[in-house]
Amino acid sequence: METISLRIYRTLTDEIISGVLPPGSALEEIALSERFKVSRTPIRQALRELAARGMIELRPRKGGIVTSIGVDELADMLEAMCELEALCCRICAERMSAVQKKQLELVHLQSQECVANGDDAGYLVLNKKFHSLICAGAHNKSLADTIDNLRDRLAMFRAAQAGVDKRLTVSHDEHDAIIAAILASDPEKAYLAMRNHTTRLSIHVLEMIKEHQA
């Protein structure tokens, strides 16, 4: 059963990731307590969890501030994400079960329909499921948890690729190479295919952020 603090944590996480709470936003304990109509205890618990995931900086006895990430730090995080997802894909090619491979294929086929229909929102949902299935297929919880943490922190920045011409087609073609390597149980090709996919996204995100700041 979901606790009150977990519900608050998830709500605030969604708002940070979506940009409703941009970097620098103050999360005051008293204001949050009034908003969610709860005592300050679950608020503090939710804020501690957000701080543990690097999404806010805690302020003693007050609350927190949504983390502001500079270009250099963002580049470091994207580089780590590229390597970790590629590593996860390499392990996945060796460990993924037949049932999990079929699930991955089905998600890929569904996403093809989204590409054909220009359904960006539907594709993003399936894209998240695609990458989650690969993480699950590696059967390494520590690695999956680390990737999930980074993905949450990077979500608002990776969304910068939205609206790019032929974005869905390019992404889907790269997924083709990833699936082919996993189905062939070829760890090295799986690693390279995923690294190529995530590196392209990372380069684009950094370019978009630098242009915005300029």
Side-chain angles (χ1 to χ4, degrees):
M1 183 176 178
E2 187 175 72
T3 63
I4 295 174
S5 63
L6 181 57
R7 173 174 59 82
I8 295 169
Y9 159 74
R10 287 181 173 170
T11 298
L12 294 175
T13 295
D14 288 342
E15 292 179 356
I16 291 172
I17 289 173
S18 66
V20 172
L21 290 172
S25 297
L27 298 178
E28 300 287 351
E29 288 184 9
I30 295 176
L32 290 173
S33 181
E34 292 174 354
R35 173 187 169 185
F36 290 103
K37 295 179 171 54
V38 297
S39 70
R40 292 169 72 173
T41 299
I43 296 297
R44 291 190 186 109
Q45 292 172 338
L47 293 177
R48 281 197 294 269
E49 185 61 28
L50 287 170
R53 294 176 77 88
M55 302 185 80
I56 69 168
E57 295 177 4
L58 286 178
R59 299 190 303 173
R61 296 179 297 280
K62 289 186 177 181
I65 296 289
V66 177
T67 304
S68 178
I69 300 176
V71 173
D72 289 342
E73 185 181 358
L74 178 60
D76 286 349
M77 291 168 63
L78 287 167
E79 181 180 41
M81 188 69 172
C82 287
E83 289 298 333
L84 288 171
E85 284 208 271
L87 172 61
C88 191
C89 199
R90 169 186 276 158
I91 299 173
C92 174
E94 299 174 312
R95 298 181 181 177
M96 197 174 215
S97 70
V99 172
Q100 288 175 316
K101 287 180 179 179
K102 179 56 67 176
Q103 287 177 312
L104 192 65
E105 284 185 284
L106 290 174
V107 168
H108 189 54
L109 286 173
Q110 290 173 333
S111 66
Q112 188 171 13
E113 295 179 12
C114 292
V115 174
N117 297 327
D119 181 3
D120 283 51
Y123 187 87
L124 288 175
V125 171
L126 291 169
N127 179 70
K128 184 176 181 179
K129 189 171 184 180
F130 179 88
H131 284 270
S132 294
L133 284 170
I134 290 175
C135 276
H139 298 283
N140 186 310
K141 188 177 184 303
S142 295
L143 182 57
D145 287 346
T146 302
I147 289 174
D148 282 344
N149 186 13
L150 269 175
R151 186 176 288 122
D152 283 348
R153 295 187 66 190
L154 289 168
M156 69 185 83
F157 300 102
R158 297 178 87 179
Q161 62 177 309
V164 177
D165 188 36
K166 296 184 179 179
R167 176 176 65 91
L168 300 189
T169 300
V170 173
S171 177
H172 192 269
D173 288 346
E174 290 170 350
H175 283 188
D176 273 336
I178 292 169
I179 280 195
I182 290 174
L183 295 181
S185 299
D186 190 326
E188 190 57 30
K189 282 187 178 180
Y191 172 87
L192 293 174
M194 179 61 82
R195 197 175 190 285
N196 175 64
H197 177 54
T198 54
T199 299
R200 178 186 62 80
L201 296 178
S202 296
I203 290 172
H204 178 69
V205 168
L206 283 172
E207 288 176 347
M208 292 285 287
I209 297 301
K210 287 177 181 177
E211 286 178 11
H212 178 71
Q213 291 188 350

